[in-house]
Amino acid sequence: MHPAPSVIVFTTFSGLGFGLLFWLGLGWPGVTGLSAFAFFTIAYLLAVGGLLASTFHLGHPERAWRAFSQWRTSWLSREGCAAVAALLVMAAYGAGLVFAGQRILWLGWLGAALSIATVFTTAMIYSQLRTVPRWRHWSTPALFLTLSLGGGALLAGQTRFALPLLVLAGLLQAWAWHDGDSRLRRSGTTLATATGLGQIGAVRSFAPPHTGTNYLLREMVHVVGRRHARRLRVIALVLGFALPVVLLLLPFAHWLAALAVLSHLAGVLALRWLFFAEAEHVVGLYYGAHQGQA
Amino acid sequence: MTALPPPSAVRLGLVIDLDTCVGCQACVISCKGWNTENYGAPLSDQDPYGAAPAGTFLNRVHSYEVQPPAAPAQIVHFPKSCLHCADAPCVTVCPTGASYKRAEDGIVLVNEDACIGCGLCAWACPYGAREMDAAAQVMKKCTLCVDRIYNAHLPEEDRVPACVRTCPSGARHFGDLGDPDSAVSRLVEARGGFDLMPEQATRPTNKYLPPRLRDHVEAPSVLAPYLTPVADTPKGFLGWLDRALGALPGGAE
């Protein structure tokens, strides 16, 4: 799939923002007044900034309000509804903390549940697609959730949660790459089933429909060099997980914590780029792509 | 509403005969011609006369080479457009309700006024049947020429999709695949029509008819027995030359 910057920025930043809101909702850290204001500002900048970035991906952003209507069937619609609900509930909860110094327990828990539900719905947008076998797997929501919770705990300064979650997310990511590489092959969709001509013999793309490119090729048939991808995977694992974990284990200092956050952010941006760039859409088979794997 | 309607009795669709398709692209052109002037936003082109032309098409014809185990390879021209699936994944993923399947005849359409151009329906389609128009920024797809097939202003023979009307080799058939006695259903039955990517569980309405097996001639030609060489070894001057050259170093094979 085409790794569009707007979608990479959206999933990375809103994932972190809602992860932070989750921990704030649970009362870890139990902040009030100005420090609560600072935490909530960071969380809202990340979550809302990410959501705004996602609208740059739309052909008609002025009609985005319509996306709240189809929550019965559409994960994208559910995500929009969950995001707005989480932001509204957490705003009320945050206002209580900042202006009244009051922690409304149930409101925080509700906000935390809605925040993490938002991340789950984001993951399901991708995980629901049978057309992208690499995404259609339980590890997709599992990764989005552990990354969001781990990154959120890192931002919230909750080292005791951030450490195990980041280690878990790193291991899960490494395994998801390894397992994901063969999911297209294991899905059973090949050029033979795509054309139905497999019953006659071996099928090969002889000529594409047009000499030029098209929307399908630009959007869904993105091929990354294998060596390139392998290097980026190592960079993502080091920056996203290994370095932040080491920094968290060192004696606490604010600049070390900030460095851990920045390193984690860079790592997640890299792995999100790979998440899209490496995802093989079955429509590529019609154009002769992915033949090495199928 | 992006929830799929209950299965309709009438299921309009196409049957495409891969045996008779000659790959002339006439259906591609007639589709673009009709649909750029009628239903919804025009099908735009980008840089049409420049170095890198691209554009929106609702129907594209691929060509594949099929190599049977013990017969010469054959070329199969392969037209592909929306299959108007019974379990259309493009419909249920739509966040705005712009993408819908008609309850009365099963045609899958896009309400372009409600489309936000997020592209998720195109991601959900395994067949590449949906293309975002680069100029209008809304999703375009085959309408099964819904503005032709019910159009009382057209002569009756024209009330079929433009691609079917124009096909010079009779490779495209339009009809009700929900009716087991319709001409298209009987054609599918007789010729062993199949679904594309059945493992994707979309249950397409459109069916494809397989290419027939090519004739297999045992002897290369009926004249072959008369053309077999009469003399195995050359005689006379050629015979001497053959022996002389064979005597040279490296000449004997």
Side-chain angles (χ1 to χ4, degrees):
Chain A
M1 309 294 287
H2 169 63
S6 59
V7 182
I8 294 170
V9 166
F10 152 59
T11 54
T12 305
F13 284 85
S14 73
L16 269 179
F18 283 111
L20 177 54
L21 284 177
F22 171 81
W23 295 108
L24 289 172
L26 292 186
W28 289 310
V31 281
T32 51
L34 261 185
S35 59
F37 183 76
F39 269 111
F40 273 86
T41 305
I42 293 169
Y44 272 78
L45 280 177
L46 290 170
V48 177
L51 287 171
L52 283 180
S54 76
T55 63
F56 290 118
H57 182 68
L58 302 180
H60 284 277
E62 77 280 6
R63 300 175 187 161
W65 60 272
R66 290 178 182 272
F68 297 112
S69 65
Q70 302 301 313
W71 49 270
R72 286 183 200 82
T73 61
S74 166
W75 281 106
L76 182 49
S77 183
R78 283 171 199 162
E79 186 210 30
C81 297
V84 169
L87 290 174
L88 288 177
V89 169
M90 287 306 285
Y93 171 73
L97 288 176
V98 173
F99 301 113
Q102 288 278 323
R103 182 161 174 244
I104 309 164
L105 213 59
W106 65 269
L107 202 59
W109 288 347
L110 178 66
L114 285 168
S115 298
I116 211 63
T118 306
V119 178
F120 178 71
T121 54
T122 305
M124 286 309 292
I125 294 170
Y126 306 108
S127 194
Q128 69 177 329
L129 297 173
R130 209 187 284 269
T131 49
V132 185
R134 189 187 280 273
W135 290 350
R136 195 179 166 82
H137 197 264
W138 61 263
S139 64
T140 303
L143 249 177
F144 270 68
L145 287 173
T146 45
L147 279 172
S148 172
L149 290 175
L154 189 61
L155 280 171
Q158 302 301 302
T159 310
R160 63 196 159 127
F161 295 116
L163 271 177
L165 281 167
L166 287 181
V167 170
L168 179 66
L171 291 174
L172 193 57
Q173 176 64 80
W175 179 80
W177 277 328
H178 168 74
D179 188 66
D181 284 345
S182 63
R183 278 183 207 149
L184 174 64
R185 182 169 49 73
R186 284 181 285 146
S187 75
T189 298
T190 61
L191 183 54
T193 70
T195 58
L197 298 170
Q199 48 195 322
I200 301 173
V203 190
R204 185 174 74 91
S205 177
F206 181 73
H210 292 84
T211 50
T213 185
N214 62 38
Y215 169 76
L216 302 169
L217 290 169
R218 283 191 303 268
E219 182 76 6
M220 283 169 268
V221 191
H222 186 94
V223 180
V224 229
R226 196 178 286 263
R227 263 198 328 177
H228 214 71
R230 197 153 293 166
R231 259 181 229 148
L232 208 51
R233 285 180 181 184
V234 173
I235 290 173
L237 286 180
V238 170
L239 289 181
F241 310 105
L243 190 57
V245 164
V246 170
L247 292 174
L248 284 183
L249 288 173
L250 292 175
F252 179 81
H254 274 287
W255 70 273
L256 282 179
L259 196 61
V261 168
L262 288 178
S263 169
H264 176 71
L265 184 62
V268 175
L269 283 172
L271 70 85
R272 230 9 92 65
W273 186 87
L274 284 168
F275 177 76
F276 290 100
E278 288 194 294
E280 309 92 342
H281 193 289
V282 294
V283 77
L285 295 168
Y286 284 110
Y287 288 86
H290 319 311
Q291 288 301 289
Q293 299 161 56
Chain B
M1 261 307 288
T2 54
L4 290 167
S8 56
V10 176
R11 291 194 293 118
L12 297 183
L14 299 174
V15 173
I16 294 167
D17 192 343
L18 297 178
D19 192 55
T20 45
C21 175
V22 294
C24 70
Q25 311 272 336
C27 55
V28 178
I29 302 307
S30 66
C31 167
K32 179 121 175 173
W34 177 265
N35 286 295
T36 207
E37 295 170 350
N38 291 281
Y39 186 100
L43 303 171
S44 71
D45 288 319
Q46 281 69 44
D47 194 21
Y49 304 104
T56 311
F57 286 82
L58 310 184
N59 177 32
R60 294 181 185 262
V61 181
H62 294 250
S63 295
Y64 296 104
E65 177 202 74
V66 189
Q67 176 66 66
Q74 62 189 80
I75 296 295
V76 179
H77 301 292
F78 193 93
K80 186 162 57 63
S81 53
C82 173
L83 307 174
H84 299 280
C85 303
D87 288 333
C90 55
V91 171
T92 49
V93 298
C94 176
T96 68
S99 189
Y100 64 104
K101 186 171 175 69
R102 280 158 57 110
E104 61 269 39
D105 52 18
I107 298 178
V108 177
L109 291 176
V110 175
N111 171 8
E112 292 175 8
D113 294 333
C115 175
I116 57 173
C118 69
L120 190 57
C121 56
W123 287 16
C125 172
Y127 309 109
R130 289 172 169 249
E131 299 189 15
M132 180 107 72
D133 188 84
Q137 289 291 309
V138 292
M139 197 54 73
K140 300 296 296 183
K141 71 174 292 302
C142 161
T143 66
L144 210 61
C145 284
V146 69
D147 47 357
R148 287 176 68 99
I149 59 178
Y150 295 112
N151 193 337
H153 297 292
L154 295 177
E156 202 169 338
E157 66 269 27
D158 284 338
R159 291 181 211 159
V160 291
C163 58
V164 175
R165 186 74 181 94
T166 205
C167 179
S169 66
R172 303 180 71 97
H173 307 267
F174 164 72
D176 177 11
L177 287 141
D179 172 8
D181 293 323
S182 69
V184 280
S185 293
R186 276 180 283 146
L187 191 58
V188 169
E189 182 69 31
R191 292 278 306 282
F194 57 82
D195 290 344
L196 303 186
M197 291 187 189
E199 71 283 355
Q200 287 274 330
T202 53
R203 297 201 297 131
T205 301
N206 287 12
K207 301 284 184 257
Y208 283 76
L209 306 180
R212 291 184 176 92
L213 289 176
R214 296 289 180 263
D215 290 340
H216 190 65
V217 182
E218 290 302 326
S221 159
V222 283
L223 295 175
Y226 303 103
L227 293 172
T228 47
V230 233
D232 284 345
T233 48
K235 293 189 178 74
F237 172 70
L238 279 180
W240 169 80
L241 191 63
D242 192 42
R243 285 192 302 278
L245 290 175
L248 287 174
E253 289 294 319

